[in-house]
Amino acid sequence: MTGNTRFAASVHVLAYLAYKSGAQVTSAEIASSVDTNPVVIRRLLSALVNAQLVTGHKGVGGGFGLASAPANITLLDIYRAVEPQPDHGLDRFTPNHKCPVGARIETILRTAFLKAQTSMEAELACISLEDVHQQLKHVCTGKR
Amino acid sequence: MTGNTRFAASVHVLAYLAYKSGAQVTSAEIASSVDTNPVVIRRLLSALVNAQLVTGHKGVGGGFGLASAPANITLLDIYRAVEPQPDHGLDRFTPNHKCPVGARIETILRTAFLKAQTSMEAELACISLEDVHQQLKHVCTGKR
DNA sequence: GATATCGTAACAATGGTGGTTACATAATTT
DNA sequence: AAATTATGTAACCACCATTGTTACGATATC
């Protein structure tokens, strides 16, 4: 186990919206696809609406839909919408500054982590929701 | 906050061993530099010994030392020694397989996460403990 | 006005993380 | 061999993030 399921679930949510292209989809319907509680989905959608990846409407016939074409939404957009800025534990890592190593290691680690993070994000930026949508249609899972 | 402090602390530990080049260093001394409990340090060192990055010796005059030259140890080696294989929450993410999206999204996400992870690890592989050691000596922190 | 739906607070259950104590094991020194 | 020093690791605790759940107010449609 590592990390939370927010990013995975959010990609699922947006993939589902792409799959239902254009329609207004309720949190209950999405929750059924993700197999979780509608409130959990609405929490994610709240962040996604905030990031302007999704639009939501209340009331009868309401629900959620993509705010942009799938080709214009990358996994990095989704990642940034629902994940806090990762720090690899640096905020809880408080070495002894009286030690020459402890005094300087944080700066060095910060630089290294930033490089790693930037590289990972660049990879996520290369994958669009449209790519995911295409794979959804063509991937043969070989399961069941 | 994101993630644990094991990787950051482990890099600190190895940087400290590089700093004390060759000497046998006790877990208590390292703990003082990291500002934590010696048992926490020994837990990390246990993993690092297992990964053959460090050697340890019991008894009077015992302690720990690097198993290789700093130039031969990369941050990726350290990362892999102390962090479990990250899955971005995929093991707890169990969508409804009766839904066409839920049935296929896991495979797609696995592929995407693997790309991102591989990219990040490649970046960590580019930084050696020797690099960190050099920075330790030259970095001007500008603090205080 | 009734109904459907979102938005969000509040709370519980679970599990990971880090700190601490305790103690067995092993190596060195005398 | 006995004392000392240090590792190795189990056990336990406190803390916090994550997720699921209930509840309920707000809002849009019919």
Coordinates of all heavy atoms in Angstrom, one line a residue, chain A residues 1-5 7-9 11-12 16 19 32-35 86-89 91-97 99-105 108-109 112-113 115-116 119-120 123 127 135-137 141 143, chain B residues 1-5 7-9 11-12 16 19 32-35 86-89 91-97 99-105 108-109 112-113 115-116 119-120 123 135-137 141 143:
Chain A
M1 N 0.8 -1.2 0.0 CA 0.0 0.0 0.0 C 0.9 1.3 0.0 O 1.9 1.3 0.7 CB -0.9 0.0 1.3 CG -2.0 0.9 1.2 SD -1.6 2.6 1.3 CE -0.8 2.8 2.8
T2 N 0.5 2.2 -0.8 CA 1.2 3.5 -0.7 C 0.3 4.6 -1.2 O -0.3 4.5 -2.2 CB 2.5 3.5 -1.6 OG1 3.5 2.6 -1.0 CG2 3.1 4.9 -1.8
G3 N 0.2 5.6 -0.4 CA -0.6 6.8 -0.8 C -2.0 6.5 -0.8 O -2.5 5.5 -0.4
N4 N -2.8 7.6 -1.2 CA -4.2 7.5 -1.2 C -4.8 7.1 -2.6 O -4.0 7.0 -3.5 CB -4.8 8.8 -0.7 CG -4.4 9.9 -1.7 OD1 -4.6 9.8 -2.9 ND2 -3.8 11.0 -1.1
T5 N -6.1 6.9 -2.6 CA -6.7 6.5 -3.8 C -7.4 7.7 -4.6 O -8.1 7.4 -5.6 CB -7.8 5.4 -3.5 OG1 -8.8 6.1 -2.8 CG2 -7.3 4.2 -2.8
F7 N -6.2 10.1 -6.5 CA -5.8 10.3 -7.9 C -6.4 9.2 -8.8 O -7.0 9.5 -9.8 CB -4.3 10.3 -8.1 CG -3.8 10.6 -9.5 CD1 -4.4 11.5 -10.3 CD2 -2.7 9.9 -9.9 CE1 -4.0 11.7 -11.6 CE2 -2.2 10.1 -11.2 CZ -2.9 11.0 -12.0
A8 N -6.2 8.0 -8.4 CA -6.8 6.8 -9.2 C -8.3 7.0 -9.4 O -8.8 6.9 -10.5 CB -6.5 5.5 -8.5
A9 N -9.0 7.3 -8.3 CA -10.4 7.5 -8.3 C -10.8 8.7 -9.2 O -11.8 8.6 -10.0 CB -11.0 7.6 -6.9
V11 N -9.2 9.9 -11.8 CA -9.0 9.6 -13.2 C -10.2 8.7 -13.6 O -10.8 8.9 -14.7 CB -7.7 8.8 -13.5 CG1 -7.6 8.3 -14.9 CG2 -6.5 9.7 -13.1
H12 N -10.6 7.8 -12.8 CA -11.8 7.0 -13.1 C -13.0 7.8 -13.3 O -13.7 7.7 -14.3 CB -12.0 6.0 -11.9 CG -13.1 5.0 -12.1 ND1 -13.2 3.8 -11.6 CD2 -14.3 5.1 -12.9 CE1 -14.3 3.1 -12.0 NE2 -15.0 4.0 -12.7
Y16 N -15.0 8.2 -16.7 CA -16.4 7.9 -16.8 C -17.2 9.0 -17.4 O -18.1 8.7 -18.3 CB -17.0 7.6 -15.4 CG -18.4 7.0 -15.4 CD1 -18.5 5.6 -15.5 CD2 -19.5 7.7 -15.2 CE1 -19.8 5.0 -15.6 CE2 -20.8 7.2 -15.2 CZ -20.9 5.8 -15.4 OH -22.1 5.2 -15.5
Y19 N -16.6 8.9 -21.0 CA -17.4 7.7 -21.5 C -18.8 8.1 -21.7 O -19.4 7.6 -22.7 CB -17.2 6.6 -20.5 CG -18.0 5.3 -20.7 CD1 -17.7 4.4 -21.7 CD2 -19.1 5.0 -19.9 CE1 -18.5 3.3 -21.9 CE2 -19.8 3.9 -20.1 CZ -19.5 3.0 -21.1 OH -20.2 1.9 -21.2
S32 N -21.4 4.3 -8.2 CA -21.7 2.9 -8.5 C -20.5 2.3 -9.4 O -20.1 1.2 -9.2 CB -23.0 2.8 -9.3 OG -23.1 1.6 -9.9
S33 N -20.0 3.1 -10.3 CA -18.9 2.6 -11.2 C -17.6 2.5 -10.4 O -16.8 1.6 -10.6 CB -18.7 3.6 -12.4 OG -17.6 3.3 -13.1
V34 N -17.4 3.4 -9.5 CA -16.2 3.4 -8.7 C -16.3 2.4 -7.5 O -15.3 2.0 -6.9 CB -15.8 4.8 -8.2 CG1 -14.5 4.8 -7.4 CG2 -15.6 5.7 -9.4
D35 N -17.6 2.1 -7.2 CA -17.9 1.2 -6.0 C -17.5 1.9 -4.7 O -16.7 1.3 -4.0 CB -17.2 -0.2 -6.2 CG -17.8 -1.1 -5.1 OD1 -18.9 -1.0 -4.8 OD2 -17.0 -2.1 -4.7
P86 N 3.3 17.3 -3.1 CA 4.1 16.3 -2.3 C 5.4 16.8 -1.8 O 6.1 17.6 -2.6 CB 4.2 15.2 -3.3 CG 4.3 15.8 -4.6 CD 3.4 17.0 -4.5
D87 N 5.8 16.5 -0.6 CA 7.0 16.9 -0.1 C 7.9 15.8 0.4 O 8.9 16.0 1.0 CB 6.8 18.0 1.0 CG 6.2 17.3 2.2 OD1 5.8 16.1 2.1 OD2 6.0 18.0 3.2
H88 N 7.5 14.6 0.1 CA 8.3 13.4 0.5 C 8.7 13.4 2.0 O 9.8 13.0 2.3 CB 9.5 13.3 -0.4 CG 9.2 13.0 -1.8 ND1 9.1 11.8 -2.4 CD2 8.9 13.9 -2.8 CE1 8.8 11.8 -3.6 NE2 8.7 13.1 -4.0
G89 N 7.8 14.0 2.8 CA 8.0 13.9 4.2 C 8.9 15.0 4.7 O 9.2 15.1 5.9
D91 N 8.4 18.1 5.4 CA 7.9 19.0 6.5 C 8.0 18.4 7.9 O 8.1 19.1 8.9 CB 6.5 19.4 6.1 CG 5.5 18.3 6.3 OD1 6.0 17.1 6.1 OD2 4.3 18.6 6.5
R92 N 8.0 17.1 7.9 CA 8.1 16.4 9.2 C 9.6 16.0 9.5 O 9.9 15.5 10.6 CB 7.3 15.2 9.3 CG 5.8 15.4 9.6 CD 5.0 14.2 9.6 NE 5.0 13.5 8.3 CZ 4.6 12.2 8.1 NH1 4.4 11.5 9.2 NH2 4.6 11.7 6.9
F93 N 10.4 16.3 8.6 CA 11.8 15.9 8.7 C 12.6 17.1 9.2 O 12.8 18.1 8.5 CB 12.4 15.4 7.4 CG 13.8 15.1 7.4 CD1 14.3 14.0 8.1 CD2 14.8 15.9 6.7 CE1 15.7 13.7 8.1 CE2 16.1 15.5 6.7 CZ 16.5 14.4 7.4
T94 N 13.0 17.0 10.5 CA 13.6 18.2 11.2 C 14.9 17.8 11.8 O 15.0 17.6 13.0 CB 12.6 18.8 12.2 OG1 12.3 17.7 13.1 CG2 11.4 19.4 11.6
P95 N 16.0 17.7 11.0 CA 17.3 17.3 11.6 C 17.9 18.3 12.5 O 17.4 19.4 12.5 CB 18.1 17.1 10.3 CG 17.5 18.0 9.3 CD 16.0 18.0 9.6
N96 N 18.9 17.9 13.2 CA 19.6 18.7 14.1 C 20.5 19.7 13.4 O 21.5 19.3 12.8 CB 20.4 17.8 15.0 CG 21.2 18.6 16.1 OD1 21.2 19.8 16.1 ND2 21.8 17.9 16.9
H97 N 20.1 21.0 13.4 CA 20.9 22.0 12.6 C 22.2 22.3 13.2 O 23.1 23.0 12.6 CB 20.1 23.3 12.5 CG 19.0 23.2 11.5 ND1 18.6 24.2 10.7 CD2 18.3 22.1 11.0 CE1 17.6 23.8 9.9 NE2 17.4 22.6 10.0
C99 N 24.3 20.0 13.7 CA 25.2 19.1 13.0 C 25.4 19.7 11.6 O 24.4 20.0 10.9 CB 24.7 17.7 13.0 SG 25.5 16.6 11.8
P100 N 26.7 19.7 11.1 CA 26.9 20.2 9.7 C 26.1 19.5 8.7 O 25.6 20.1 7.7 CB 28.4 19.9 9.5 CG 29.0 19.9 10.9 CD 27.9 19.3 11.8
V101 N 25.9 18.2 8.9 CA 25.0 17.5 7.9 C 23.6 17.9 8.1 O 22.9 18.2 7.1 CB 25.2 16.0 8.1 CG1 24.3 15.2 7.1 CG2 26.7 15.5 7.9
G102 N 23.1 17.9 9.3 CA 21.7 18.2 9.6 C 21.4 19.6 9.1 O 20.2 19.9 8.7
A103 N 22.4 20.5 9.2 CA 22.1 21.9 8.8 C 21.9 22.1 7.3 O 21.2 23.0 6.9 CB 23.3 22.8 9.3
R104 N 22.5 21.2 6.5 CA 22.5 21.4 5.1 C 21.7 20.4 4.3 O 21.4 20.6 3.1 CB 23.9 21.4 4.6 CG 24.7 22.5 5.2 CD 26.2 22.4 4.8 NE 26.9 23.5 5.3 CZ 28.2 23.7 5.2 NH1 28.9 22.8 4.5 NH2 28.8 24.7 5.7
I105 N 21.3 19.3 4.9 CA 20.7 18.2 4.1 C 19.4 18.5 3.6 O 19.0 18.1 2.5 CB 20.7 16.9 5.0 CG1 20.4 15.7 4.1 CG2 19.7 17.0 6.1 CD1 21.5 15.2 3.2
I108 N 19.5 20.2 0.2 CA 19.9 19.3 -0.8 C 18.8 18.3 -1.2 O 18.5 18.1 -2.4 CB 21.2 18.5 -0.3 CG1 22.3 19.4 -0.1 CG2 21.5 17.4 -1.3 CD1 23.5 18.8 0.7
L109 N 18.1 17.8 -0.2 CA 17.0 16.9 -0.4 C 15.9 17.6 -1.2 O 15.2 17.0 -2.1 CB 16.4 16.4 0.9 CG 17.3 15.3 1.6 CD1 16.7 15.0 3.0 CD2 17.3 14.1 0.7
A112 N 16.7 17.6 -4.8 CA 16.6 16.3 -5.4 C 15.1 15.9 -5.6 O 14.8 15.4 -6.6 CB 17.3 15.3 -4.5
F113 N 14.3 16.1 -4.5 CA 12.9 15.7 -4.6 C 12.2 16.5 -5.7 O 11.3 16.0 -6.4 CB 12.2 16.0 -3.3 CG 12.7 15.0 -2.2 CD1 12.4 15.3 -0.9 CD2 13.4 13.9 -2.5 CE1 12.8 14.4 0.1 CE2 13.8 13.0 -1.5 CZ 13.5 13.3 -0.2
K115 N 13.5 17.6 -8.5 CA 13.8 17.0 -9.8 C 13.0 15.8 -10.1 O 12.5 15.6 -11.2 CB 15.3 16.6 -9.8 CG 16.3 17.8 -10.1 CD 17.7 17.2 -10.3 CE 18.7 18.4 -10.3 NZ 20.1 17.8 -10.3
A116 N 12.9 14.9 -9.1 CA 12.2 13.7 -9.2 C 10.7 14.0 -9.5 O 10.1 13.4 -10.4 CB 12.3 12.8 -8.0
S119 N 10.1 15.4 -13.0 CA 10.2 14.3 -14.0 C 8.9 13.5 -14.0 O 8.4 13.2 -15.1 CB 11.4 13.5 -13.7 OG 11.4 12.4 -14.5
M120 N 8.4 13.2 -12.9 CA 7.1 12.4 -12.8 C 6.0 13.1 -13.4 O 5.2 12.6 -14.1 CB 6.8 12.0 -11.3 CG 5.9 10.9 -11.2 SD 4.9 11.0 -9.7 CE 4.0 12.5 -10.0
E123 N 5.8 13.3 -17.1 CA 5.2 12.0 -17.7 C 3.7 12.0 -17.6 O 3.1 11.6 -18.6 CB 5.8 10.8 -16.9 CG 6.0 9.6 -17.7 CD 6.9 9.8 -18.9 OE1 7.9 10.4 -18.8 OE2 6.5 9.2 -19.9
I127 N 0.0 12.2 -20.9 CA -1.2 11.4 -21.1 C -2.4 12.2 -20.9 O -2.6 12.9 -19.9 CB -1.1 10.2 -20.0 CG1 0.2 9.5 -20.1 CG2 -2.3 9.3 -20.2 CD1 0.3 8.4 -19.0
Q135 N -8.0 4.1 -24.8 CA -7.7 2.8 -24.2 C -8.8 2.0 -23.6 O -8.9 0.8 -23.7 CB -6.6 3.0 -23.1 CG -5.2 3.4 -23.7 CD -4.2 3.6 -22.6 OE1 -3.8 2.6 -22.0 NE2 -3.8 4.8 -22.4
L136 N -9.8 2.8 -23.0 CA -11.0 2.2 -22.5 C -11.7 1.4 -23.6 O -12.3 0.4 -23.3 CB -11.9 3.3 -22.0 CG -11.8 3.7 -20.5 CD1 -12.9 4.7 -20.2 CD2 -12.0 2.4 -19.6
K137 N -11.7 2.0 -24.7 CA -12.5 1.4 -25.8 C -11.8 0.2 -26.4 O -12.4 -0.8 -26.9 CB -12.8 2.4 -26.9 CG -13.8 3.4 -26.4 CD -14.4 4.3 -27.5 CE -13.4 5.3 -28.0 NZ -14.0 6.3 -28.9
T141 N -8.8 -6.6 -21.7 CA -8.2 -6.9 -20.3 C -7.8 -8.3 -20.1 O -7.0 -8.7 -19.3 CB -9.2 -6.5 -19.2 OG1 -10.4 -7.3 -19.4 CG2 -9.6 -5.1 -19.3
K143 N -9.6 -10.4 -18.6 CA -10.1 -10.9 -17.3 C -11.4 -11.6 -17.5 O -12.0 -11.5 -18.5 CB -10.3 -9.7 -16.4 CG -9.0 -9.1 -15.9 CD -9.3 -8.1 -14.8 CE -8.0 -7.5 -14.3 NZ -8.2 -6.5 -13.3
Chain B
M1 N 1.7 17.9 4.1 CA 2.3 16.6 4.4 C 2.0 15.6 3.3 O 1.0 15.5 2.8 CB 1.8 16.1 5.7 CG 2.6 15.0 6.4 SD 2.6 13.4 5.7 CE 0.8 13.1 5.7
T2 N 3.0 14.8 3.0 CA 2.8 13.7 2.1 C 3.9 12.7 2.3 O 5.1 13.0 2.3 CB 2.9 14.2 0.6 OG1 1.7 14.9 0.3 CG2 2.9 13.0 -0.4
G3 N 3.5 11.4 2.4 CA 4.4 10.4 2.5 C 5.2 10.3 3.9 O 4.9 11.2 4.7
N4 N 6.1 9.4 4.0 CA 6.8 9.3 5.2 C 8.2 9.9 5.1 O 8.6 10.4 4.1 CB 6.9 7.8 5.6 CG 7.6 7.0 4.5 OD1 8.7 7.4 4.0 ND2 7.0 6.0 4.0
T5 N 8.9 9.9 6.2 CA 10.2 10.5 6.3 C 11.4 9.5 6.1 O 12.5 9.9 6.2 CB 10.4 11.3 7.6 OG1 10.4 10.3 8.7 CG2 9.3 12.3 7.8
F7 N 12.7 8.0 3.5 CA 13.7 8.2 2.4 C 14.6 9.4 2.8 O 15.8 9.3 2.7 CB 12.9 8.4 1.1 CG 13.9 8.7 -0.1 CD1 15.0 7.9 -0.2 CD2 13.5 9.6 -1.0 CE1 15.9 8.1 -1.3 CE2 14.4 9.8 -2.1 CZ 15.5 9.1 -2.2
A8 N 13.9 10.5 3.2 CA 14.7 11.7 3.6 C 15.7 11.3 4.7 O 16.9 11.7 4.6 CB 13.8 12.8 4.0
A9 N 15.2 10.6 5.7 CA 16.1 10.3 6.8 C 17.2 9.3 6.4 O 18.3 9.5 6.9 CB 15.2 9.6 8.0
V11 N 18.6 9.1 3.4 CA 19.6 9.9 2.7 C 20.5 10.6 3.7 O 21.7 10.6 3.6 CB 19.0 10.8 1.7 CG1 20.1 11.7 1.0 CG2 18.2 10.1 0.6
H12 N 19.9 11.2 4.7 CA 20.6 11.8 5.8 C 21.6 10.9 6.4 O 22.8 11.2 6.6 CB 19.6 12.4 6.8 CG 20.3 13.2 7.9 ND1 19.7 14.3 8.5 CD2 21.5 13.1 8.4 CE1 20.5 14.8 9.4 NE2 21.6 14.1 9.4
Y16 N 25.6 11.2 6.3 CA 26.3 11.3 7.5 C 27.5 10.3 7.5 O 28.6 10.6 7.9 CB 25.4 11.1 8.8 CG 26.1 11.5 10.1 CD1 26.1 12.8 10.5 CD2 26.7 10.5 10.8 CE1 26.7 13.2 11.7 CE2 27.3 10.9 12.0 CZ 27.3 12.2 12.4 OH 28.0 12.6 13.6
Y19 N 30.1 11.5 5.3 CA 30.7 12.6 6.0 C 31.8 12.1 7.0 O 32.9 12.7 7.1 CB 29.6 13.4 6.7 CG 30.1 14.6 7.6 CD1 30.6 15.7 7.1 CD2 29.9 14.5 9.0 CE1 31.0 16.8 7.9 CE2 30.3 15.5 9.8 CZ 30.8 16.7 9.3 OH 31.2 17.7 10.1
S32 N 21.4 11.5 16.8 CA 21.6 12.9 17.3 C 21.6 13.9 16.1 O 21.1 15.0 16.2 CB 23.0 13.0 18.0 OG 23.4 14.3 18.1
S33 N 22.2 13.5 15.0 CA 22.3 14.3 13.8 C 20.9 14.4 13.1 O 20.5 15.5 12.6 CB 23.3 13.8 12.8 OG 23.2 14.5 11.6
V34 N 20.2 13.3 13.2 CA 18.8 13.4 12.5 C 17.8 13.9 13.5 O 16.7 14.3 13.1 CB 18.5 11.9 12.0 CG1 17.1 11.9 11.4 CG2 19.5 11.4 11.0
D35 N 18.2 13.9 14.8 CA 17.2 14.4 15.8 C 16.1 13.5 16.0 O 14.9 13.9 15.9 CB 16.8 15.8 15.6 CG 16.1 16.4 16.8 OD1 16.4 16.0 17.9 OD2 15.2 17.3 16.7
P86 N 5.8 1.6 -4.7 CA 4.6 2.5 -4.6 C 3.5 2.1 -5.6 O 3.9 1.6 -6.7 CB 5.1 3.9 -4.9 CG 6.3 3.6 -5.8 CD 6.9 2.3 -5.4
D87 N 2.3 2.1 -5.2 CA 1.2 1.7 -6.1 C 0.2 2.8 -6.3 O -0.9 2.6 -6.9 CB 0.6 0.4 -5.7 CG -0.2 0.6 -4.4 OD1 -0.1 1.7 -3.8 OD2 -0.9 -0.3 -4.0
H88 N 0.4 3.9 -5.7 CA -0.5 5.1 -5.9 C -1.9 4.7 -5.5 O -2.9 5.2 -6.1 CB -0.5 5.6 -7.3 CG 0.9 6.2 -7.7 ND1 1.1 7.6 -7.6 CD2 2.0 5.6 -8.2 CE1 2.4 7.8 -8.0 NE2 2.9 6.7 -8.3
G89 N -2.0 3.9 -4.5 CA -3.4 3.5 -4.0 C -4.1 2.4 -4.8 O -5.2 2.1 -4.5
D91 N -3.9 -0.7 -4.9 CA -4.4 -1.9 -4.2 C -5.6 -1.8 -3.4 O -6.4 -2.7 -3.2 CB -3.2 -2.5 -3.3 CG -3.0 -1.6 -2.1 OD1 -3.3 -0.4 -2.2 OD2 -2.6 -2.1 -1.1
R92 N -5.9 -0.5 -3.0 CA -7.2 -0.3 -2.3 C -8.2 0.3 -3.2 O -9.4 0.5 -2.8 CB -6.9 0.8 -1.2 CG -6.3 0.2 0.0 CD -6.2 1.3 1.1 NE -5.1 2.3 0.6 CZ -5.0 3.5 1.2 NH1 -5.8 3.9 2.1 NH2 -4.1 4.3 0.7
F93 N -7.9 0.5 -4.5 CA -8.8 1.0 -5.5 C -9.5 -0.2 -6.2 O -8.9 -0.9 -7.0 CB -8.1 1.8 -6.5 CG -8.9 2.4 -7.6 CD1 -9.9 3.3 -7.3 CD2 -8.7 2.0 -8.9 CE1 -10.7 3.9 -8.3 CE2 -9.5 2.6 -9.9 CZ -10.5 3.5 -9.6
T94 N -10.8 -0.5 -5.8 CA -11.4 -1.6 -6.4 C -12.8 -1.3 -7.0 O -13.8 -1.4 -6.4 CB -11.7 -2.6 -5.2 OG1 -12.4 -1.9 -4.2 CG2 -10.4 -3.2 -4.6
P95 N -12.7 -0.8 -8.3 CA -13.9 -0.3 -8.9 C -14.8 -1.5 -9.3 O -14.4 -2.6 -9.2 CB -13.3 0.3 -10.2 CG -12.0 -0.3 -10.4 CD -11.5 -0.6 -9.1
N96 N -16.0 -1.1 -9.6 CA -17.0 -2.1 -10.0 C -16.8 -2.6 -11.4 O -16.9 -2.0 -12.4 CB -18.4 -1.3 -10.0 CG -19.5 -2.2 -10.4 OD1 -19.3 -3.4 -10.7 ND2 -20.7 -1.7 -10.3
H97 N -16.4 -3.9 -11.5 CA -16.0 -4.5 -12.7 C -17.2 -4.8 -13.7 O -17.0 -5.2 -14.8 CB -15.2 -5.8 -12.5 CG -13.8 -5.6 -12.1 ND1 -12.8 -6.5 -12.4 CD2 -13.3 -4.6 -11.4 CE1 -11.7 -6.0 -11.9 NE2 -11.9 -4.8 -11.3
C99 N -19.1 -2.5 -14.5 CA -19.2 -1.3 -15.4 C -18.0 -1.3 -16.3 O -16.9 -1.7 -16.0 CB -19.0 0.0 -14.5 SG -18.7 1.5 -15.4
P100 N -18.2 -1.1 -17.6 CA -17.2 -1.1 -18.6 C -16.0 -0.3 -18.2 O -14.8 -0.7 -18.5 CB -17.9 -0.6 -19.9 CG -19.3 -0.8 -19.7 CD -19.6 -0.7 -18.2
V101 N -16.2 0.9 -17.6 CA -15.1 1.7 -17.2 C -14.4 1.1 -16.0 O -13.1 0.9 -16.1 CB -15.6 3.1 -16.8 CG1 -14.4 4.0 -16.4 CG2 -16.3 3.8 -18.0
G102 N -15.1 0.6 -15.0 CA -14.5 0.0 -13.9 C -13.8 -1.2 -14.2 O -12.8 -1.6 -13.5
A103 N -14.2 -1.9 -15.2 CA -13.5 -3.2 -15.6 C -12.2 -3.0 -16.2 O -11.3 -3.8 -16.1 CB -14.4 -4.0 -16.6
R104 N -12.0 -1.8 -16.8 CA -10.7 -1.6 -17.6 C -9.8 -0.5 -17.0 O -8.6 -0.5 -17.4 CB -11.1 -1.2 -19.0 CG -11.9 -2.3 -19.7 CD -12.4 -1.9 -21.0 NE -13.0 -3.0 -21.7 CZ -13.6 -2.9 -22.9 NH1 -13.6 -1.8 -23.6 NH2 -14.2 -4.0 -23.5
I105 N -10.3 0.3 -16.2 CA -9.5 1.5 -15.7 C -8.3 1.1 -15.0 O -7.2 1.7 -15.1 CB -10.4 2.4 -14.9 CG1 -9.7 3.8 -14.8 CG2 -10.7 1.8 -13.6 CD1 -9.7 4.6 -16.0
I108 N -5.3 0.4 -17.2 CA -4.8 1.7 -17.8 C -4.1 2.5 -16.8 O -3.0 3.0 -17.1 CB -6.0 2.5 -18.3 CG1 -6.7 1.7 -19.4 CG2 -5.6 3.8 -18.8 CD1 -8.1 2.2 -19.9
L109 N -4.6 2.6 -15.6 CA -3.9 3.3 -14.5 C -2.6 2.7 -14.2 O -1.6 3.4 -13.9 CB -4.8 3.4 -13.3 CG -6.0 4.4 -13.3 CD1 -6.9 4.2 -12.1 CD2 -5.5 5.8 -13.5
A112 N -0.1 3.8 -16.6 CA 0.3 5.3 -16.5 C 1.2 5.5 -15.2 O 2.2 6.2 -15.3 CB -1.0 6.1 -16.4
F113 N 0.8 4.8 -14.1 CA 1.6 5.0 -12.9 C 3.0 4.5 -13.1 O 3.9 5.0 -12.5 CB 0.9 4.3 -11.7 CG -0.4 5.0 -11.3 CD1 -1.3 4.3 -10.5 CD2 -0.7 6.2 -11.7 CE1 -2.5 4.9 -10.1 CE2 -1.9 6.9 -11.3 CZ -2.8 6.2 -10.5
K115 N 4.7 4.4 -15.8 CA 5.5 5.4 -16.6 C 6.0 6.5 -15.7 O 7.2 6.9 -15.7 CB 4.7 6.0 -17.7 CG 4.6 5.1 -18.9 CD 3.9 5.9 -20.0 CE 3.5 5.0 -21.2 NZ 2.6 5.7 -22.2
A116 N 5.1 7.0 -14.9 CA 5.4 8.1 -14.0 C 6.5 7.7 -13.0 O 7.5 8.4 -12.8 CB 4.2 8.6 -13.2
S119 N 9.9 7.2 -14.5 CA 10.6 8.5 -14.8 C 11.2 9.1 -13.6 O 12.3 9.7 -13.6 CB 9.5 9.5 -15.4 OG 10.0 10.7 -15.6
M120 N 10.4 9.0 -12.5 CA 10.9 9.6 -11.2 C 12.2 8.8 -10.8 O 13.2 9.4 -10.3 CB 9.8 9.5 -10.2 CG 10.1 10.4 -9.0 SD 9.4 9.7 -7.5 CE 10.4 8.2 -7.3
E123 N 15.4 9.7 -12.5 CA 15.9 11.0 -12.0 C 16.7 10.7 -10.7 O 17.8 11.3 -10.5 CB 14.8 12.0 -11.7 CG 15.2 13.4 -11.9 CD 15.7 13.7 -13.3 OE1 15.1 13.2 -14.3 OE2 16.7 14.5 -13.3
Q135 N 27.8 18.4 -2.3 CA 26.9 19.6 -2.0 C 27.0 19.9 -0.5 O 27.0 21.1 -0.1 CB 25.5 19.3 -2.4 CG 25.3 19.2 -3.9 CD 23.9 18.9 -4.2 OE1 22.9 19.7 -4.0 NE2 23.6 17.7 -4.8
L136 N 27.1 18.9 0.3 CA 27.2 19.1 1.8 C 28.4 20.0 2.1 O 28.3 20.9 3.0 CB 27.5 17.8 2.5 CG 26.3 17.1 3.1 CD1 26.7 15.9 3.9 CD2 25.5 18.0 4.0
K137 N 29.5 19.8 1.4 CA 30.7 20.6 1.7 C 30.6 22.0 1.1 O 31.2 22.9 1.7 CB 31.9 19.9 1.1 CG 32.2 18.6 1.9 CD 33.5 18.0 1.6 CE 33.6 17.4 0.2 NZ 34.8 16.6 0.0
T141 N 24.1 27.7 2.9 CA 22.6 27.6 3.3 C 22.0 29.0 3.4 O 20.8 29.1 3.1 CB 22.4 26.9 4.6 OG1 23.1 27.6 5.6 CG2 23.0 25.5 4.5
K143 N 21.2 30.5 5.9 CA 20.2 30.5 7.0 C 20.8 31.2 8.2 O 21.9 31.6 8.2 CB 19.9 29.1 7.4 CG 19.0 28.4 6.4 CD 18.5 27.1 7.0 CE 17.6 26.4 6.0 NZ 17.1 25.1 6.5

